[in-house]
Amino acid sequence: MAEAIQVPTASDLPDPWTVPLDKMNVANAELFKHDKHGEYFRRLRKEDPVHYCPDSEFGAYWSITKFNDIVAVDSNHKVFSSQDNIVIGDAEPEFLTPMFIAEDPPKHDYQRKAVTPAVTPGQLADLEGLIRQRVCALLDDLPVGERINWVEHISKELTTQMLATLFDFPFEDRHLLPYWSDASTTSPAVGAPDVTYEQRHEILQECLNYFGRLWQERAEQPPKFDFISLLAHNPKTKDMIKDPMEFLGNLILLIVGGNDTTRNSISGGVIFLNKFPKEYDKLRADVSLIPNMVSEIIRFQTPLAHMRRTALEDIEFQGKQIKKGDRVVMWYVSGNRDEEVIDRPDEFIIDRDKARHHVSFGFGIHRCMGNRVAEMQLRILWEEIMKRFHKIELVGEPERVTSNFVLGYTDVPVIVHAK
Amino acid sequence: MPKVTFIEHNGTRHELDADSGLSLMEVAVANSVPGIDADCGGACACATCHVYVDESWLGKVGDKTDMETSMLDFAEGVQDSSRLACQITLSAELDGLIAQLPESQH
Ligand code: HEM
Ligand code: FES
């Protein structure tokens, strides 16, 4: 008989202010699951902003916790490499899926450029009408006055539709996108429990087969602005299909990059407006605040808690000796609460000055490629919500994901109130 | 005090007095010129302060660093006259500088 599994609880976590600094492991996924990470990072920013953790389930790692230090590391790609690994845990060597987020120049550069045309402001202007139409359809169908899970009804579905649009993916099969996305992110490399590498591989193989068929189809058609068509027709990437692992890697990047991040920002917005009801009042009084609020939601949520780099040479950084080969983790989730750069960082303020000045999208050559799509999706959603509903009321505590990478929710119980 | 002019994509002109020592981006932001986002606050790390510098001024605004070149490499609508406004420091020598704004920042 299997032993009973101990489910860790918040009270099993060490005290953030008394645990010895060299025992401080901010990568423990339980901290994020229980929303307890804030104080640990506050202490690091104060006492040891470039912190070395000598031992963890992911190996030794440096934590970069201050806003400006994150910008410095993120934009120094010559020393801080993205090659092969951009999350704290190392990728499985026998199942390496190369993708351009985890490449250095020059490969990163031409692969990124191949797919960028799908998400430039000009292309997005063309998609805006379609995205709005879908948002309206979904909101008009929403059950009013009863308890629902906002994640399942709106966040997940809307993001899936957005991705289906960017891939020009068969609409009736769109539920496969979040399914593949979940399979690739719930990996032991980010502290997620209960998934074996074997299960993961099986599901990702299905993803590869499906997209292989789409690729063949698009390659034979005239070029269009969806991700697959762009890759299949670009002279520098048109042979990617011959390297299935690289094809799979980039698919995962383009699916995951937009999926959890946008989904959890959509959920986060509802939670924050409920926890800061004065901000909801401000929004009702002036919906022209929506674009600024969208940036504030993305800062406050920080959908990706970290990105990881590997030092290519010895370097002194803020008085610390980082050695060649060391893991360096930029904690965006901490940079976005840096009291020296952001005024009242723990408050959600929808009319905040310089709201775009946050680290959620990263910086430097790997800065998020899909930032404008995500912002547009959120803007349209809130514009349409405000036309229809008086309030999306949070009626219970949100259930969070167990990961030190994806910060998000599985359950956000709400009741929608009509205008 | 150097004078600088920003011309929005729709043709709207903003003629501004600037303090020497400030960056072209800082002048735009301080005067709420639309079309410059400056998400990274001037660290040459976001490319949302992309401008086109009038040909006649290109020789005077200084060279691009490697980092600026890499960041511009991923911006949209890049031309020979493209620069990141946060990397241009104003001085008396740049009095009269004209910068055009792209349609949008990505
Ligand atoms: C609120 C939503 C989003 C957030 C917070 C977010 C966050 C990020 C972050 C932190 C990075 C890495 C930056 C760095 O290393 O400096 C990144 C990269 C990336 N994101 Fe996003 N993302 C979001 C939405 C999207 C969407 C909608 C897409 C596309 C469909 C997308 C596609 C990508 C891609 C392709 C990269 C890799 C860029 C590169 O390596 O050059 N993201 N994103
Ligand atoms: S402000 Fe970010 S690159 Fe100029």
Side-chain angles (χ1 to χ4, degrees), chain A residues 113 121 356-357 364 367 369 372, chain B residues 37 39 45 73 76 104 106:
Chain A
K113 281 185 208 164
R356 302 190 59 84
H357 193 45
R367 179 172 165 82
M369 190 187 89
R372 301 284 168 179
Chain B
D37 290 334
D39 292 1
D73 202 20
E76 212 192 347
S104 51
H106 180 196

Side-chain angles (χ1 to χ4, degrees), chain A residues 13 16 24 26-45 300-302 305 331 333-334 337 400 403 407:
Chain A
L13 298 169
M24 180 96 117
V26 285
N28 177 357
E30 295 297 326
L31 296 180
F32 301 94
K33 162 90 178 159
H34 297 291
D35 196 23
K36 294 285 180 207
H37 53 277
E39 286 302 297
Y40 295 79
F41 285 110
R42 194 192 308 282
R43 177 161 175 219
L44 285 189
R45 285 196 303 276
F300 213 69
Q301 178 59 35
T302 317
W331 291 104
V333 68
S334 174
R337 295 292 185 278
R400 290 181 161 75
S403 167
L407 298 189

